[in-house]
Amino acid sequence: MAQPDSKKIFFENLSGAGKAIAVLTSGGDAQGMNAAVRAVVRMGLYVGAKVYFIHEGYQGMVDGGDNIREATWESVSSMLQVGGTVIGSARCKEFRSHEGRLKAAHNLVQRGITNLCVIGGDGSLTGANLFREEWSGLLAELVEQGLIEEDAVQKYSALHIVGMVGSIDNDFCGTDMTIGTDSALHRIIEVVDAIMTTAQSHQRTFVLEVMGRHCGYLALVSALACGADWVLIPEMPPEDGWEEKMCQKLSANRAGMKRLNIIIVAEGAIDRSNKPITTDYIKNLVVKCLGFDTRVTILGHVQRGGTPSAFDRILASRMGVEAVLALLETTANTPACVVSLYGNQSVRLPLMECVQMTQEVQKAMDQKRFEEAVKLRGRSFENNLKTYKLLAHRKPETELPTSNFNVAVLNVGAPAAGMNAAVRSAVRVGISEGHKMFAVSDGFEGFYKGQIKEIKWADVGGWTGQGGSLLGTKRTLPAKHIDKIAEQMRMHNINALLVIGGFEAFLSLLELLTARGKYDEFCVPMVMVPATVSNNVPGSDLSIGADTALNAITTTCDRIKQSASGTKRRVFIIETMGGYCGYLASVGGLAAGADAAYIFEEPFDIRDLQANVEHLTEKMKTSIQRGLVLRNENCNDNYTTDFIYQLYSEEGRGVFDSRKNVLGHMQQGGAPSPFDRNFGTKISAKAMQWITKKLTETFRQGEVHVWCC
């Protein structure tokens, strides 16, 4: 039996008994809002609280009646994969007035609701905080008007607010990502990838406008993810004379045998005089100056629609749980907070501090303090901008530093989507740092065979969106051929190694580290960039390729569940990759809404299996007619996928039937997700900058010599 961990014990010690929580979505919709609503409802019910839906946002709170309904566990089933918000969202002028907020307070008190979870943008969250500050005064007015009893003022004396930001623009300060942003990037990249094929066929230039009236995050990250030639964003307008520089860049790319150009423009793009830069202006400029066949595509509301990505489902689910925990732990004096993403952790930050910082960004842009605006956007935005500038615009040879260092880059282990983006980034950053870059084909197998050649800036053009490994990759470890690899290092005068791969890459560097005592050739800076769908590399929260694999699992599970729609009750047993790491099964289960996930890290026995069967049997007696179980491929030697399928089939006989599906290598294939392209690009750039630093520090008397790195 699995032992309860500290987090589970912590959850069980929390009690929401006697508390009422209401959840609403307000302002513009965003993919993933439904996952947040689902998490709030189920976490609230789990701790014993009553949970209410408020339909149609603040308008529903003001109108009351059937707009405020009690939620059940089953009422949020099958919501994860639905875009938009199923409880509705509306902008409400009435709530902006004191009378409107008075009506809203009355409707909440009637139901005993004093805990509010608001999912929306900075305007919606600001309104919620104002409502909280006025709460005691509103209750006093309701008593005066005879609408509530005096004891209600004491009983419901404080309103507790927790916010979650739902916005595809990612324009809220204090969080690395907002709910909906990753899904919007998926829509953009799908369109860009499709456009690139037709643009290449006809040697065209495409100008794409993406959303972002006051924030250029979508434009910037999509430009980074597709390798766009030029990007225009409101936070950092181009320098005066940018038109000529852009045309020179486009012309140079065509001269370098590139058959297409992509220019991405945020809808709020401006120049240094705060004058709007439109897509038509750019199109006319390119046609007039260069004569290129140019087309404009405005993506519009397609960016808001569609199924939420795996990242948004997971982010929203984690934020929803954290929001309920925050409401349970709050006191009368606790200020309103917003649940944010910092790195890979859900954190709580003071709501109004984040709102004020968000408003400061717009002030900085209005006052032409653009450098400050970028800094206020946060570290993620700033890093994205620096990385894009580093990779998109090659410095002239005369401006490049001359380091005379040779750096080799190779892929090791199984292919992972995003590896090519990482290689492209490493090569271009390395060249910008003045190094000579060498590509090694087929991992360490190619290394000892001498499959090493210099790789140039243009050689990696268009690699960002390519799946698999264009360099080739093998699982071969270096120990058996260590002498030949040392010889190749010596022949090519390799001064540093960048290894991109999974656990095999990790083991490879350990073997090279061990060999330093015998071979001086390995006494050089060596760094590993984690890239594996299994996400099993020690010391790293995330690996390149894991997000793409999760999206493949989630999309497949959505389709499999839909296949049972309207048929008899059915349970699906899905086997995922991951080796001995349960990341894909557990996180994929969270994103797909699985009933159970069997993983190697959490031992289970026949009693656990029986309990899951009984749970599904009870579930199938309700209106829910589909079940989903995920199994990590190596979770147990005896309880195989076939065994679990046969057990469920036998024990569920007469109630439900079972089907099994082994997802296999489809989890490794396909184009990399926007997250993996962006993550691979940034982490590889950082690795190359670390290599440069170490090479500079350890270069003595004409050679590099590192004993510990």
Side-chain angles (χ1 to χ4, degrees):
M1 287 286 287
Q3 295 299 313
D5 59 9
S6 57
K7 192 77 171 177
K8 185 175 180 183
I9 293 169
F10 174 67
F11 283 170
E12 289 177 349
N13 289 337
L14 286 172
S15 175
K19 294 197 174 186
I21 300 170
V23 58
L24 66 94
T25 53
S26 177
D29 66 309
Q31 309 96 318
M33 278 184 166
N34 290 324
V37 170
R38 174 181 178 269
V40 170
V41 169
R42 292 199 166 174
M43 188 61 188
L45 294 174
Y46 178 80
V47 297
K50 276 189 175 182
V51 185
Y52 291 85
F53 294 130
I54 299 179
H55 291 264
E56 311 307 334
Y58 287 119
Q59 189 66 56
M61 194 191 299
V62 172
D63 294 341
D66 287 341
N67 288 307
I68 305 176
R69 303 177 202 164
E70 190 169 350
T72 64
W73 191 275
E74 290 76 21
S75 62
V76 291
S77 294
S78 303
M79 283 176 63
L80 269 173
Q81 69 272 23
V82 181
T85 165
V86 297
I87 61 173
S89 179
R91 303 187 191 279
C92 179
K93 288 184 179 179
E94 197 172 356
F95 188 76
R96 297 178 186 177
S97 68
H98 183 79
E99 292 75 16
R101 293 191 290 275
L102 189 66
K103 288 181 185 177
H106 183 219
N107 289 326
L108 294 187
V109 170
Q110 281 182 316
R111 294 162 179 83
I113 299 169
T114 56
N115 297 281
L116 204 56
C117 183
V118 180
I119 307 167
D122 61 322
S124 301
L125 300 181
T126 302
N129 189 65
L130 176 62
F131 191 39
R132 183 188 71 88
E133 290 173 346
E134 292 182 348
W135 182 256
S136 57
L138 293 171
L139 295 193
E141 283 188 54
L142 291 173
V143 171
E144 287 177 15
Q145 295 177 15
L147 295 175
I148 62 173
E149 300 295 330
E150 285 192 21
D151 61 344
V153 176
Q154 191 69 27
K155 188 175 181 182
Y156 308 119
S157 59
L159 178 68
H160 307 297
I161 300 287
V162 172
M164 288 183 276
V165 187
S167 167
I168 68 167
D169 292 339
N170 201 28
D171 55 354
F172 192 82
C173 293
T175 183
D176 289 345
M177 287 282 271
T178 57
I179 296 167
T181 303
D182 187 70
S183 299
L185 286 171
H186 273 258
R187 300 295 95 78
I188 295 168
I189 294 303
E190 285 165 10
V191 172
V192 173
D193 285 351
I195 278 176
M196 288 177 81
T197 58
T198 182
Q200 193 162 14
S201 300
H202 297 278
Q203 298 192 62
R204 281 179 176 154
T205 296
F206 270 85
V207 185
L208 282 85
E209 181 183 287
V210 301
M211 283 188 168
R213 196 168 39 207
H214 303 295
C215 179
Y217 185 88
L218 290 179
L220 178 58
V221 176
S222 56
L224 197 59
C226 72
D229 298 277
W230 204 267
V231 64
L232 293 156
I233 59 173
E235 290 88 348
M236 185 54 69
E239 300 287 346
D240 293 339
W242 65 271
E243 294 94 338
E244 184 180 351
K245 290 179 181 178
M246 184 185 75
C247 289
Q248 287 174 352
K249 171 84 185 299
L250 300 180
S251 181
N253 284 348
R254 286 292 179 93
M257 304 305 291
K258 188 176 180 182
R259 292 178 59 87
L260 75 153
N261 301 112
I262 299 290
I263 302 166
I264 296 182
V265 187
E267 63 177 327
I270 53 174
D271 63 16
R272 290 273 161 175
S273 302
N274 282 345
K275 180 183 174 183
I277 300 175
T278 66
T279 51
D280 284 337
Y281 175 76
I282 296 169
K283 175 191 172 181
N284 294 334
L285 176 70
V286 174
V287 171
K288 180 182 176 182
C289 296
L290 301 175
F292 290 171
D293 186 5
T294 306
R295 298 286 189 273
V296 170
T297 298
I298 298 175
L299 271 64
H301 282 76
V302 71
Q303 296 159 86
R304 284 192 187 277
T307 302
S309 66
F311 183 95
D312 271 330
R313 300 185 198 193
I314 296 158
L315 174 65
S317 297
R318 292 175 60 191
M319 282 186 168
V321 169
E322 189 65 30
V324 173
L325 296 178
L327 287 171
L328 293 180
E329 295 169 11
T330 192
T331 65
N333 299 319
T334 305
C337 74
V338 61
V339 179
S340 299
L341 181 72
Y342 186 82
N344 196 34
Q345 300 297 320
S346 294
V347 297
R348 306 170 199 170
L349 298 175
L351 173 61
M352 291 314 296
E353 283 185 23
C354 295
V355 169
Q356 287 162 10
M357 196 183 302
T358 302
Q359 293 168 348
E360 282 298 318
V361 177
Q362 189 59 48
K363 287 181 185 176
M365 289 192 287
D366 292 341
Q367 296 169 10
K368 301 181 183 179
R369 293 180 283 117
F370 298 114
E371 295 285 348
E372 186 181 340
V374 170
K375 282 185 167 55
L376 286 169
R377 278 281 179 231
R379 56 175 193 160
S380 177
F381 190 95
E382 195 171 7
N383 288 340
N384 284 327
L385 184 58
K386 286 179 181 176
T387 307
Y388 176 78
K389 287 180 177 179
L390 198 60
L391 299 178
H393 306 292
R394 184 181 183 184
K395 295 177 183 176
E397 295 288 340
T398 52
E399 294 181 20
L400 291 175
T402 51
S403 68
N404 296 318
F405 292 126
N406 296 342
V407 181
V409 57
L410 66 157
N411 295 334
V412 175
M419 274 184 164
N420 297 319
V423 172
R424 169 185 176 269
S425 177
V427 169
R428 291 195 169 180
V429 172
I431 291 170
S432 297
E433 302 274 345
H435 308 318
K436 185 179 284 188
M437 299 300 297
F438 288 85
V440 182
S441 301
D442 297 332
F444 282 106
E445 188 172 313
F447 209 134
Y448 85 80
K449 291 179 180 177
Q451 295 172 216
I452 305 168
K453 64 176 183 179
E454 187 178 354
I455 188 166
K456 303 284 191 178
W457 183 281
D459 294 338
V460 292
W463 279 33
T464 310
Q466 299 279 345
S469 168
L470 294 175
L471 285 185
T473 181
K474 301 274 187 177
R475 295 180 184 271
T476 307
L477 298 181
K480 292 181 181 178
H481 311 284
I482 201 76
D483 53 340
K484 293 181 180 179
I485 293 171
E487 184 182 346
Q488 292 294 333
M489 294 274 289
R490 186 167 54 254
M491 285 174 56
H492 292 88
N493 190 28
I494 301 298
N495 304 119
L497 275 181
L498 176 60
V499 183
I500 302 168
F503 196 71
E504 292 88 352
F506 180 79
L507 294 177
S508 296
L509 285 194
L510 288 179
E511 290 182 0
L512 295 181
L513 186 66
T514 304
R516 279 180 171 176
K518 187 176 180 182
Y519 299 96
D520 286 345
E521 289 81 3
F522 300 128
C523 294
V524 297
M526 296 185 289
V527 63
M528 175 200 169
V529 171
T532 167
V533 300
S534 301
N535 196 29
N536 62 349
V537 178
S540 176
D541 284 347
L542 292 169
S543 296
I544 299 166
D547 183 73
T548 305
L550 279 174
N551 278 286
I553 292 167
T554 304
T555 302
T556 305
C557 288
D558 287 348
R559 292 177 178 176
I560 286 172
K561 286 197 294 183
Q562 191 179 43
S563 72
S565 180
T567 65
K568 62 183 181 178
R569 298 177 177 89
R570 184 164 288 166
V571 174
F572 296 95
I573 317 297
I574 310 293
E575 180 182 294
T576 69
M577 280 183 161
Y580 291 98
C581 178
Y583 179 82
L584 290 182
S586 57
V587 181
L590 178 62
D595 296 278
Y598 301 121
I599 60 174
F600 179 77
E601 295 88 343
E602 191 172 59
F604 59 96
D605 59 23
I606 194 67
R607 288 167 292 183
D608 297 306
L609 293 170
Q610 184 62 36
N612 293 146
V613 173
E614 290 171 359
H615 158 72
L616 282 165
T617 301
E618 288 301 312
K619 175 182 173 179
M620 293 298 177
K621 292 176 182 177
T622 67
S623 59
I624 302 168
Q625 298 186 347
R626 290 165 290 176
L628 184 66
V629 175
L630 267 62
R631 178 189 177 274
N632 165 235
E633 59 185 345
N634 290 339
C635 66
N636 191 290
D637 291 337
N638 297 310
Y639 300 134
T640 62
T641 302
D642 284 334
F643 176 89
I644 294 174
Y645 161 68
Q646 289 167 9
L647 177 69
Y648 273 67
S649 298
E650 181 61 32
E651 295 298 319
R653 191 185 299 275
V655 180
F656 61 82
D657 65 359
S658 301
R659 295 288 186 273
K660 66 175 178 178
N661 195 299
V662 178
L663 299 185
H665 284 77
M666 66 172 292
Q667 297 160 85
Q668 285 184 328
S673 67
F675 182 91
D676 276 330
R677 300 183 195 197
N678 189 24
F679 181 56
T681 298
K682 289 198 293 186
I683 196 172
S684 193
K686 192 157 190 173
M688 276 306 306
Q689 289 166 341
W690 180 88
I691 283 176
T692 299
K693 179 185 175 187
K694 287 297 175 183
L695 285 170
T696 305
E697 289 175 356
T698 58
F699 185 70
R700 299 287 184 275
Q701 298 177 345
E703 65 177 20
V704 175
H705 201 83
V706 178
W707 276 109
C708 184
C709 67

